[in-house]
Amino acid sequence: MASTEPPTATTEKLPATIVCIGMAGSGKTTFMQRLNAHLHGKKEPPYIINLDPAVKNVPFDRNIDIRDSVNYREVMTQYNLGPNGGIMTSLNLFATKIDQVIGILEKRAGSISSVLVDTPGQIECFVWSASGAIITDALASTFPTVIAYIIDTPRTAQPATFMANMLYACSILYKTKLPMILVFNKTDAQDASFAKEWMTDFEAFQSALRASENEGDEEAIGGSGYMGSLLNSMSLMLDEFYNHLDLVGVSAMTGAGIEDFLKAVEDKVQEYERDYKPEMEKARKRREEEKRKSKQKELDRLMKDLEMDKKKEEPAVVSDVESDEENGLVERDEDEEMDKGNQDVEDGLKQRYERALKDSGGAQRSKAEEESLARYLRATG
Protein backbone atom coordinates (compact mmCIF):
# COMPACT_ATOMS: atom_id res chain seq x y z
CA MET A 1 0.00 0.00 0.00
CA ALA A 2 1.41 3.38 -0.97
CA SER A 3 2.24 5.80 1.82
CA THR A 4 -0.03 8.83 2.16
CA GLU A 5 2.45 10.86 4.23
CA PRO A 6 3.40 14.23 2.69
CA PRO A 7 6.88 14.46 1.22
CA THR A 8 9.61 15.84 3.47
CA ALA A 9 10.29 19.51 2.82
CA THR A 10 13.70 20.22 1.40
CA THR A 11 15.89 23.11 2.43
CA GLU A 12 15.50 26.04 0.07
CA LYS A 13 18.63 27.17 -1.70
CA LEU A 14 19.54 30.65 -0.62
CA PRO A 15 20.03 33.21 -3.41
CA ALA A 16 23.56 34.42 -4.07
CA THR A 17 24.17 38.07 -3.21
CA ILE A 18 26.45 39.94 -5.63
CA VAL A 19 27.80 43.23 -4.30
CA CYS A 20 29.10 45.28 -7.23
CA ILE A 21 31.96 47.62 -6.33
CA GLY A 22 33.92 49.73 -8.77
CA MET A 23 35.67 53.01 -9.35
CA ALA A 24 33.73 55.89 -10.87
CA GLY A 25 33.67 55.44 -14.64
CA SER A 26 34.42 51.72 -14.55
CA GLY A 27 31.01 50.90 -16.08
CA LYS A 28 29.53 49.43 -12.90
CA THR A 29 25.97 50.63 -13.45
CA THR A 30 26.03 49.55 -17.09
CA PHE A 31 27.32 46.14 -16.01
CA MET A 32 24.44 45.88 -13.53
CA GLN A 33 21.97 46.73 -16.29
CA ARG A 34 23.42 44.08 -18.61
CA LEU A 35 23.46 41.44 -15.85
CA ASN A 36 19.87 42.25 -14.94
CA ALA A 37 18.73 41.93 -18.56
CA HIS A 38 20.62 38.65 -18.97
CA LEU A 39 19.00 37.11 -15.87
CA HIS A 40 15.55 38.25 -16.99
CA GLY A 41 16.22 36.61 -20.33
CA LYS A 42 16.92 33.35 -18.48
CA LYS A 43 13.63 33.69 -16.58
CA GLU A 44 15.63 34.19 -13.37
CA PRO A 45 14.87 37.81 -12.42
CA PRO A 46 17.16 39.08 -9.65
CA TYR A 47 16.25 41.13 -6.61
CA ILE A 48 17.98 44.52 -7.00
CA ILE A 49 19.07 46.91 -4.27
CA ASN A 50 20.41 50.39 -5.07
CA LEU A 51 22.71 51.88 -2.42
CA ASP A 52 23.81 54.96 -4.35
CA PRO A 53 21.88 57.93 -2.90
CA ALA A 54 23.42 60.49 -5.28
CA VAL A 55 22.58 58.84 -8.60
CA LYS A 56 19.96 60.68 -10.66
CA ASN A 57 18.85 58.00 -13.10
CA VAL A 58 19.09 54.23 -12.72
CA PRO A 59 18.58 52.34 -16.02
CA PHE A 60 16.93 49.31 -14.41
CA ASP A 61 14.10 48.59 -12.00
CA ARG A 62 14.97 48.41 -8.33
CA ASN A 63 13.20 46.46 -5.60
CA ILE A 64 14.80 48.49 -2.80
CA ASP A 65 16.21 51.96 -3.42
CA ILE A 66 18.03 54.00 -0.79
CA ARG A 67 16.63 57.16 -2.41
CA ASP A 68 13.12 56.14 -1.32
CA SER A 69 14.07 56.48 2.35
CA VAL A 70 16.91 59.03 2.35
CA ASN A 71 17.00 62.35 0.49
CA TYR A 72 20.63 62.96 -0.40
CA ARG A 73 20.22 66.70 -1.04
CA GLU A 74 18.38 67.29 2.21
CA VAL A 75 21.05 65.36 4.13
CA MET A 76 23.75 67.60 2.64
CA THR A 77 21.79 70.75 3.51
CA GLN A 78 20.71 69.68 6.98
CA TYR A 79 24.15 68.51 8.13
CA ASN A 80 26.15 71.05 6.08
CA LEU A 81 28.07 68.32 4.21
CA GLY A 82 29.86 67.96 0.91
CA PRO A 83 29.09 65.29 -1.71
CA ASN A 84 31.10 62.47 -0.12
CA GLY A 85 29.92 63.35 3.39
CA GLY A 86 26.33 63.35 2.15
CA ILE A 87 26.76 59.87 0.65
CA MET A 88 28.33 58.47 3.81
CA THR A 89 25.67 60.00 6.06
CA SER A 90 22.91 58.68 3.79
CA LEU A 91 24.45 55.21 4.01
CA ASN A 92 24.66 55.54 7.78
CA LEU A 93 20.97 56.37 7.97
CA PHE A 94 20.08 53.48 5.67
CA ALA A 95 22.25 51.04 7.65
CA THR A 96 20.00 51.54 10.67
CA LYS A 97 17.24 49.78 8.70
CA ILE A 98 19.36 46.92 7.33
CA ASP A 99 17.58 44.42 9.59
CA GLN A 100 14.32 45.25 7.81
CA VAL A 101 16.02 44.74 4.42
CA ILE A 102 17.31 41.34 5.54
CA GLY A 103 13.82 40.42 6.73
CA ILE A 104 12.36 41.28 3.31
CA LEU A 105 15.06 39.25 1.53
CA GLU A 106 14.44 36.25 3.75
CA LYS A 107 10.75 36.33 2.84
CA ARG A 108 11.63 36.45 -0.90
CA ALA A 109 14.42 33.87 -0.69
CA GLY A 110 12.36 31.06 -2.16
CA SER A 111 11.28 33.01 -5.25
CA ILE A 112 14.53 34.74 -6.33
CA SER A 113 17.76 33.30 -7.69
CA SER A 114 20.12 36.16 -6.87
CA VAL A 115 20.40 39.54 -5.21
CA LEU A 116 22.26 42.37 -6.97
CA VAL A 117 23.56 45.27 -4.89
CA ASP A 118 24.69 48.46 -6.64
CA THR A 119 27.04 50.64 -4.58
CA PRO A 120 28.13 54.30 -4.90
CA GLY A 121 30.74 55.19 -7.49
CA GLN A 122 32.71 56.89 -4.70
CA ILE A 123 34.10 53.53 -3.72
CA GLU A 124 35.73 54.64 -0.47
CA CYS A 125 32.38 55.91 0.86
CA PHE A 126 31.10 52.35 0.90
CA VAL A 127 34.16 50.14 1.37
CA TRP A 128 35.84 52.09 4.15
CA SER A 129 32.79 53.36 6.03
CA ALA A 130 31.19 51.76 9.07
CA SER A 131 27.83 51.61 7.29
CA GLY A 132 29.37 49.70 4.36
CA ALA A 133 30.80 47.12 6.76
CA ILE A 134 27.44 46.82 8.55
CA ILE A 135 25.57 46.26 5.30
CA THR A 136 28.01 43.70 3.85
CA ASP A 137 28.28 41.83 7.15
CA ALA A 138 24.50 41.68 7.49
CA LEU A 139 24.11 40.31 3.97
CA ALA A 140 26.99 37.84 4.32
CA SER A 141 25.70 36.52 7.64
CA THR A 142 22.43 35.49 5.99
CA PHE A 143 23.14 34.79 2.31
CA PRO A 144 26.16 33.54 0.34
CA THR A 145 27.77 36.84 -0.67
CA VAL A 146 30.30 37.57 -3.43
CA ILE A 147 32.14 40.82 -4.18
CA ALA A 148 32.33 41.78 -7.86
CA TYR A 149 35.11 44.33 -8.33
CA ILE A 150 34.52 46.12 -11.66
CA ILE A 151 37.69 47.32 -13.42
CA ASP A 152 38.00 49.65 -16.43
CA THR A 153 40.10 47.44 -18.72
CA PRO A 154 41.40 50.10 -21.17
CA ARG A 155 42.43 52.29 -18.25
CA THR A 156 44.35 49.39 -16.66
CA ALA A 157 46.44 48.46 -19.69
CA GLN A 158 49.55 50.15 -18.22
CA PRO A 159 51.53 48.27 -15.53
CA ALA A 160 51.40 51.10 -12.97
CA THR A 161 47.61 51.50 -13.17
CA PHE A 162 47.14 47.73 -13.22
CA MET A 163 49.16 47.36 -10.01
CA ALA A 164 47.21 50.17 -8.35
CA ASN A 165 43.94 48.38 -9.15
CA MET A 166 45.29 45.08 -7.83
CA LEU A 167 46.35 46.70 -4.58
CA TYR A 168 42.93 48.26 -4.19
CA ALA A 169 41.30 44.91 -4.90
CA CYS A 170 43.56 43.32 -2.29
CA SER A 171 42.52 45.89 0.31
CA ILE A 172 38.82 45.31 -0.46
CA LEU A 173 39.25 41.56 -0.17
CA TYR A 174 40.85 41.75 3.25
CA LYS A 175 38.45 44.46 4.40
CA THR A 176 35.27 42.57 3.49
CA LYS A 177 36.70 39.04 3.99
CA LEU A 178 34.39 37.77 1.25
CA PRO A 179 34.99 35.88 -2.02
CA MET A 180 35.92 38.24 -4.85
CA ILE A 181 35.70 38.20 -8.63
CA LEU A 182 37.73 40.64 -10.72
CA VAL A 183 35.45 41.80 -13.53
CA PHE A 184 37.49 43.43 -16.33
CA ASN A 185 34.81 45.46 -18.06
CA LYS A 186 34.80 47.09 -21.52
CA THR A 187 36.52 44.19 -23.24
CA ASP A 188 34.91 45.39 -26.47
CA ALA A 189 37.42 48.26 -26.35
CA GLN A 190 40.39 46.41 -24.80
CA ASP A 191 40.89 42.67 -24.45
CA ALA A 192 41.63 41.50 -20.90
CA SER A 193 44.09 38.75 -21.87
CA PHE A 194 47.04 40.93 -20.80
CA ALA A 195 45.67 41.04 -17.22
CA LYS A 196 45.42 37.25 -17.02
CA GLU A 197 48.99 36.96 -18.25
CA TRP A 198 50.34 39.51 -15.75
CA MET A 199 48.54 37.79 -12.89
CA THR A 200 49.97 34.37 -13.72
CA ASP A 201 53.42 35.20 -15.09
CA PHE A 202 55.76 37.46 -13.12
CA GLU A 203 58.27 37.64 -15.97
CA ALA A 204 55.56 38.89 -18.34
CA PHE A 205 54.72 41.72 -15.95
CA GLN A 206 58.41 42.67 -15.66
CA SER A 207 58.73 42.74 -19.44
CA ALA A 208 55.66 44.97 -19.72
CA LEU A 209 57.16 47.27 -17.07
CA ARG A 210 60.41 47.62 -18.99
CA ALA A 211 58.54 48.15 -22.24
CA SER A 212 56.52 50.88 -20.61
CA GLU A 213 59.73 52.70 -19.74
CA ASN A 214 61.28 52.27 -23.18
CA GLU A 215 58.19 53.42 -25.02
CA GLY A 216 57.96 56.51 -22.81
CA ASP A 217 54.19 56.44 -22.32
CA GLU A 218 52.62 58.98 -19.98
CA GLU A 219 52.30 56.51 -17.09
CA ALA A 220 55.79 54.99 -17.42
CA ILE A 221 57.66 55.02 -14.12
CA GLY A 222 60.65 52.98 -15.17
CA GLY A 223 61.71 49.38 -14.70
CA SER A 224 64.60 50.40 -12.48
CA GLY A 225 65.00 52.71 -9.54
CA TYR A 226 62.83 52.91 -6.45
CA MET A 227 59.39 52.82 -8.13
CA GLY A 228 60.36 50.04 -10.49
CA SER A 229 61.70 47.93 -7.61
CA LEU A 230 58.55 48.67 -5.64
CA LEU A 231 56.30 47.47 -8.46
CA ASN A 232 58.35 44.31 -8.90
CA SER A 233 58.19 43.59 -5.18
CA MET A 234 54.44 44.19 -5.06
CA SER A 235 53.85 41.88 -8.01
CA LEU A 236 55.72 39.12 -6.15
CA MET A 237 53.78 39.80 -2.98
CA LEU A 238 50.45 39.68 -4.81
CA ASP A 239 51.21 36.33 -6.41
CA GLU A 240 49.53 34.48 -3.51
CA PHE A 241 46.67 36.98 -3.57
CA TYR A 242 45.99 36.22 -7.25
CA ASN A 243 45.45 32.55 -6.42
CA HIS A 244 42.29 33.40 -4.48
CA LEU A 245 40.71 35.44 -7.25
CA ASP A 246 38.69 34.66 -10.33
CA LEU A 247 39.24 36.93 -13.32
CA VAL A 248 36.47 37.40 -15.86
CA GLY A 249 36.49 39.65 -18.93
CA VAL A 250 33.08 41.07 -19.82
CA SER A 251 31.56 43.74 -21.99
CA ALA A 252 28.61 45.52 -20.48
CA MET A 253 27.95 47.01 -23.92
CA THR A 254 27.68 43.76 -25.90
CA GLY A 255 26.97 41.27 -23.10
CA ALA A 256 30.05 39.17 -23.84
CA GLY A 257 31.36 37.22 -20.84
CA ILE A 258 28.24 37.57 -18.68
CA GLU A 259 27.67 33.82 -18.64
CA ASP A 260 31.30 33.30 -17.60
CA PHE A 261 30.72 35.73 -14.77
CA LEU A 262 27.67 33.80 -13.55
CA LYS A 263 29.70 30.59 -13.64
CA ALA A 264 32.37 32.29 -11.54
CA VAL A 265 29.68 33.36 -9.08
CA GLU A 266 28.58 29.73 -8.66
CA ASP A 267 32.16 28.73 -7.91
CA LYS A 268 32.55 31.54 -5.39
CA VAL A 269 29.30 30.54 -3.67
CA GLN A 270 30.77 27.09 -3.11
CA GLU A 271 33.95 28.72 -1.83
CA TYR A 272 31.85 30.84 0.51
CA GLU A 273 30.11 27.78 1.93
CA ARG A 274 33.40 25.88 2.25
CA ASP A 275 35.85 28.49 3.49
CA TYR A 276 34.22 31.78 4.41
CA LYS A 277 31.03 30.72 6.18
CA PRO A 278 32.79 28.58 8.84
CA GLU A 279 35.14 31.46 9.59
CA MET A 280 32.22 33.86 9.86
CA GLU A 281 30.44 31.46 12.22
CA LYS A 282 33.54 31.27 14.40
CA ALA A 283 33.83 35.04 14.43
CA ARG A 284 30.14 35.38 15.29
CA LYS A 285 30.39 32.87 18.14
CA ARG A 286 33.50 34.62 19.41
CA ARG A 287 31.70 37.97 19.40
CA GLU A 288 28.70 36.44 21.20
CA GLU A 289 30.98 34.86 23.81
CA GLU A 290 32.77 38.15 24.38
CA LYS A 291 29.41 39.89 24.65
CA ARG A 292 28.20 37.28 27.15
CA LYS A 293 31.35 37.65 29.25
CA SER A 294 30.98 41.42 29.17
CA LYS A 295 27.37 41.16 30.35
CA GLN A 296 28.37 38.73 33.12
CA LYS A 297 31.15 41.07 34.22
CA GLU A 298 28.72 43.98 34.39
CA LEU A 299 26.25 41.83 36.34
CA ASP A 300 28.94 40.78 38.84
CA ARG A 301 29.95 44.39 39.29
CA LEU A 302 26.33 45.41 39.86
CA MET A 303 25.81 42.67 42.47
CA LYS A 304 29.00 43.72 44.25
CA ASP A 305 27.81 47.33 44.35
CA LEU A 306 24.44 46.22 45.74
CA GLU A 307 26.14 44.20 48.48
CA MET A 308 28.30 47.17 49.44
CA ASP A 309 25.26 49.44 49.60
CA LYS A 310 23.48 46.89 51.79
CA LYS A 311 26.38 46.76 54.21
CA LYS A 312 26.38 50.55 54.45
CA GLU A 313 22.67 50.56 55.36
CA GLU A 314 22.91 47.80 58.05
CA PRO A 315 23.64 49.01 61.66
CA ALA A 316 27.03 48.10 63.03
CA VAL A 317 26.84 45.22 65.52
CA VAL A 318 29.61 45.06 68.10
CA SER A 319 30.21 41.82 69.96
CA ASP A 320 30.09 41.87 73.74
CA VAL A 321 33.58 40.44 73.84
CA GLU A 322 35.25 42.84 71.39
CA SER A 323 38.27 44.54 72.87
CA ASP A 324 38.60 48.27 73.29
CA GLU A 325 41.83 48.20 71.26
CA GLU A 326 40.02 46.92 68.17
CA ASN A 327 36.97 49.17 68.30
CA GLY A 328 37.94 52.05 70.54
CA LEU A 329 35.16 51.04 72.97
CA VAL A 330 35.38 50.55 76.78
CA GLU A 331 33.86 47.30 78.04
CA ARG A 332 31.53 48.01 80.97
CA ASP A 333 30.85 45.80 83.97
CA GLU A 334 27.27 44.58 84.36
CA ASP A 335 27.12 45.60 88.07
CA GLU A 336 28.28 49.09 87.20
CA GLU A 337 25.53 49.38 84.59
CA MET A 338 22.86 48.28 87.17
CA ASP A 339 24.16 50.73 89.86
CA LYS A 340 24.17 53.52 87.29
CA GLY A 341 20.60 52.67 86.38
CA ASN A 342 19.43 52.74 89.99
CA GLN A 343 21.25 56.03 90.58
CA ASP A 344 19.49 57.52 87.54
CA VAL A 345 16.14 56.44 88.97
CA GLU A 346 16.86 57.96 92.37
CA ASP A 347 18.08 61.20 90.82
CA GLY A 348 14.87 61.41 88.87
CA LEU A 349 12.72 61.00 91.98
CA LYS A 350 14.73 63.59 93.87
CA GLN A 351 14.30 66.11 91.04
CA ARG A 352 10.59 65.47 90.89
CA TYR A 353 10.20 65.95 94.63
CA GLU A 354 12.17 69.19 94.55
CA ARG A 355 10.18 70.44 91.56
CA ALA A 356 6.93 69.55 93.26
CA LEU A 357 8.03 71.38 96.41
CA LYS A 358 8.97 74.47 94.41
CA ASP A 359 5.77 74.49 92.40
CA SER A 360 3.65 74.33 95.47
CA GLY A 361 4.58 78.03 96.11
CA GLY A 362 3.96 77.97 99.91
CA ALA A 363 0.69 76.08 99.66
CA GLN A 364 -0.60 74.33 102.75
CA ARG A 365 0.64 70.77 103.31
CA SER A 366 -0.01 68.23 105.90
CA LYS A 367 2.59 67.79 108.63
CA ALA A 368 3.05 64.15 107.59
CA GLU A 369 3.84 65.05 103.95
CA GLU A 370 6.39 67.67 104.97
CA GLU A 371 8.12 65.32 107.38
CA SER A 372 8.19 62.60 104.67
CA LEU A 373 9.73 64.97 102.17
CA ALA A 374 12.29 66.26 104.69
CA ARG A 375 13.39 62.73 105.52
CA TYR A 376 13.80 61.89 101.83
CA LEU A 377 15.86 64.98 101.13
CA ARG A 378 18.13 64.31 104.11
CA ALA A 379 18.60 60.69 103.09
CA THR A 380 19.56 61.61 99.54
CA GLY A 381 21.39 64.83 100.20
Side-chain angles (χ1 to χ4, degrees), residues 46-59:
Y47 198 89
I48 299 179
I49 301 175
N50 174 46
L51 296 181
D52 189 351
V55 65
K56 290 186 177 181
N57 299 311
V58 180

Side-chain angles (χ1 to χ4, degrees), residues 165-181:
N165 261 299
M166 293 302 101
L167 288 173
Y168 212 109
C170 181
S171 66
I172 294 173
L173 176 65
Y174 290 110
K175 179 67 171 62
T176 60
K177 298 180 178 63
L178 292 171
M180 176 182 286
I181 302 174

Side-chain angles (χ1 to χ4, degrees), residues 98-265:
I98 189 60
D99 56 332
Q100 299 180 17
V101 175
I102 297 299
I104 294 173
L105 292 176
E106 287 178 331
K107 292 179 181 179
R108 305 286 192 277
S111 59
I112 56 178
S113 60
S114 59
V115 178
L116 304 183
V117 182
D118 192 14
T119 60
Q122 289 78 357
I123 189 171
E124 67 281 355
C125 294
F126 181 81
V127 174
W128 300 108
S129 65
S131 54
I134 291 171
I135 293 171
T136 53
D137 289 347
L139 291 171
S141 63
T142 310
F143 304 99
T145 305
V146 177
I147 300 295
Y149 181 52
I150 317 300
I151 300 173
D152 187 344
T153 306
R155 190 71 181 83
T156 316
Q158 299 301 326
T161 312
F162 171 82
M163 185 55 59
N165 261 299
M166 293 302 101
L167 288 173
Y168 212 109
C170 181
S171 66
I172 294 173
L173 176 65
Y174 290 110
K175 179 67 171 62
T176 60
K177 298 180 178 63
L178 292 171
M180 176 182 286
I181 302 174
L182 297 181
V183 181
F184 280 81
N185 193 19
K186 305 181 183 180
T187 54
D188 55 301
Q190 173 74 50
D191 188 73
S193 58
F194 71 91
K196 296 180 181 179
E197 184 180 14
W198 289 352
M199 291 176 63
T200 56
D201 190 347
F202 173 70
E203 295 294 336
F205 180 76
Q206 280 190 321
S207 299
L209 194 60
R210 288 192 296 268
S212 177
E213 179 188 27
N214 296 332
E215 293 174 2
D217 61 81
E218 59 181 10
E219 294 184 7
I221 59 174
S224 61
Y226 172 75
M227 292 304 297
S229 299
L230 179 61
L231 281 180
N232 285 327
S233 300
M234 287 191 296
S235 63
L236 283 173
M237 180 272 293
L238 291 176
D239 184 61
E240 181 65 23
F241 165 69
Y242 294 151
N243 295 330
H244 298 279
L245 299 177
D246 283 356
L247 186 152
V248 179
V250 302
S251 172
M253 184 65 65
T254 65
I258 295 296
E259 197 62 40
D260 295 336
F261 171 77
L262 294 176
K263 178 63 172 60
V265 169

Side-chain angles (χ1 to χ4, degrees), residues 343-372:
Q343 184 66 35
D344 291 341
V345 172
E346 291 179 2
D347 291 343
L349 290 173
K350 181 180 178 180
Q351 291 172 1
R352 286 197 296 273
Y353 270 116
E354 290 178 343
R355 186 167 56 252
L357 180 61
K358 183 178 180 181
D359 293 342
S360 62
Q364 298 295 326
R365 300 185 184 86
S366 67
K367 186 176 182 179
E369 288 175 347
E370 291 177 355
E371 290 177 353
S372 175

Side-chain angles (χ1 to χ4, degrees), residues 234-369:
M234 287 191 296
S235 63
L236 283 173
M237 180 272 293
L238 291 176
D239 184 61
E240 181 65 23
F241 165 69
Y242 294 151
N243 295 330
H244 298 279
L245 299 177
D246 283 356
L247 186 152
V248 179
V250 302
S251 172
M253 184 65 65
T254 65
I258 295 296
E259 197 62 40
D260 295 336
F261 171 77
L262 294 176
K263 178 63 172 60
V265 169
E266 293 178 2
D267 295 339
K268 288 300 178 181
V269 167
Q270 296 177 5
E271 182 180 332
Y272 168 90
E273 297 288 347
R274 182 182 66 249
D275 300 330
Y276 287 81
K277 189 176 181 179
E279 292 298 325
M280 293 182 64
E281 290 293 331
K282 290 179 182 178
R284 181 181 60 81
K285 291 179 180 179
R286 184 166 59 250
R287 288 194 299 268
E288 289 179 352
E289 181 65 19
E290 292 175 354
K291 188 175 181 180
R292 185 191 66 79
K293 289 181 179 179
S294 178
K295 286 184 177 180
Q296 185 62 41
K297 187 177 180 180
E298 292 295 330
L299 180 61
D300 294 342
R301 186 182 301 168
L302 176 62
M303 296 302 296
K304 185 177 180 180
D305 292 342
L306 290 175
E307 290 177 1
M308 293 180 65
D309 292 342
K310 186 178 180 181
K311 288 180 179 179
K312 290 179 181 178
E313 294 174 0
E314 290 179 352
V317 179
V318 182
S319 174
D320 292 338
V321 297
E322 287 182 6
S323 66
D324 56 345
E325 295 182 5
E326 293 177 347
N327 298 284
L329 301 174
V330 178
E331 186 177 3
R332 300 183 182 275
D333 185 73
E334 186 177 355
D335 293 335
E336 292 180 4
E337 295 292 332
M338 292 181 64
D339 292 342
K340 183 178 183 299
N342 294 334
Q343 184 66 35
D344 291 341
V345 172
E346 291 179 2
D347 291 343
L349 290 173
K350 181 180 178 180
Q351 291 172 1
R352 286 197 296 273
Y353 270 116
E354 290 178 343
R355 186 167 56 252
L357 180 61
K358 183 178 180 181
D359 293 342
S360 62
Q364 298 295 326
R365 300 185 184 86
S366 67
K367 186 176 182 179
E369 288 175 347

Side-chain angles (χ1 to χ4, degrees), residues 4 23 41 92 278 313 319:
T4 58
M23 299 284 189
N92 291 340
E313 294 174 0
S319 174

